[in-house]
Amino acid sequence: MTRARILILEEDRQLVDELRDDLDLVGFETEVALSSQVAFTILEERKMDLAIVGASTQAVDTLRKLHQQFSKLPIIFLTEQKSKRYQSSLLKEGASAVLGMPLDKNQVIAKIEQIIEKPVVQPPKKRRKKPSKEVSKKKKKRKSTYSAS
C-alpha cells in the first residue's frame, strides 16, 4: 500500500536515484522531474502529497511559483547553505521544511512522515464569556431607571 505520493524535483541524477530508492523502500510512491517545467506538468496531471525541491540556480523562484500555484502542497527544500537567514527566507517563500546537504536518509523520511501524517488540528471551540458582575450591575441600573418612567 502506498503511503504517499512524492514529487522529487532535482537536477542531480545521483541524488534523485538515492532519494527515490530510499523512499520506495519505505512505501512512498515517487515521481521524478529533472526540470521545473516537468514538475509543473506532473502536478497539474496528478495529485501529489508532497514535493522535494533540490537547490539549483532557479530553485527559489521555482519554490515561490510552486507555493503560489499549489499552496496546499507541502514542500521540503534541500540546500547546501547552512545560513539560518537563508533557510528562514525559504520558509517564508513557501517551504514546509528545509533540510541541509548531505542528506541523512532517516532525517528525510522522518520529516516527510512528520509533514504528511500529522493530524489536522481542530481549532478550539469558542466559549461564551459570562458577563462580569460590574456589567450585570450596570444593566440592572439601566432597567430600573427605564421602569421608573
Side-chain angles (χ1 to χ4, degrees):
M1 179 177 165
T2 301
R3 294 170 66 185
R5 299 185 76 188
I6 299 173
L7 172 67
I8 302 170
L9 170 56
E10 172 60 57
E11 296 172 352
D12 180 356
R13 272 310 272 175
Q14 182 178 354
L15 178 59
V16 167
D17 290 342
E18 288 173 15
L19 265 174
R20 189 174 209 177
D21 290 344
D22 293 340
L23 296 176
D24 286 346
L25 280 174
V26 293
F28 294 113
E29 183 180 330
T30 56
E31 292 281 337
V32 173
L34 299 175
S35 71
S36 59
Q37 291 174 332
V38 173
F40 281 96
T41 302
I42 290 171
L43 289 169
E44 288 170 359
E45 293 176 357
R46 300 179 195 100
K47 182 196 178 308
M48 303 303 282
D49 299 305
L50 181 130
I52 297 175
V53 178
S56 67
T57 55
Q58 302 279 321
V60 176
D61 287 337
T62 301
L63 171 64
R64 188 178 301 120
K65 290 175 186 173
L66 278 171
H67 184 65
Q68 287 172 350
Q69 194 166 346
F70 306 97
S71 61
K72 294 186 180 189
L73 179 70
I75 302 168
I76 295 177
F77 195 88
L78 309 178
T79 183
E80 292 183 3
Q81 291 194 27
K82 305 279 188 236
S83 162
K84 296 277 186 191
R85 177 177 277 171
Y86 178 71
Q87 291 183 5
S88 175
S89 71
L90 294 171
L91 294 170
K92 288 178 184 173
E93 291 293 340
S96 302
V98 178
L99 297 178
M101 303 287 278
L103 287 179
D104 174 359
K105 169 179 94 169
N106 295 326
Q107 182 185 21
V108 172
I109 292 168
K111 185 56 73 175
I112 291 169
E113 289 174 342
Q114 177 188 358
I115 291 171
I116 290 179
E117 296 177 2
K118 68 180 176 186
V120 177
V121 178
Q122 295 294 327
K125 293 182 179 180
K126 293 182 180 179
R127 293 184 180 175
R128 291 181 134 181
K129 290 185 177 180
K130 293 182 180 179
S132 67
K133 291 180 181 180
E134 290 181 22
V135 173
S136 58
K137 285 180 184 177
K138 288 180 183 178
K139 286 183 179 179
K140 286 180 183 178
K141 284 181 183 178
R142 279 191 208 146
K143 286 181 181 178
S144 62
T145 55
Y146 291 119
S147 60
S149 49

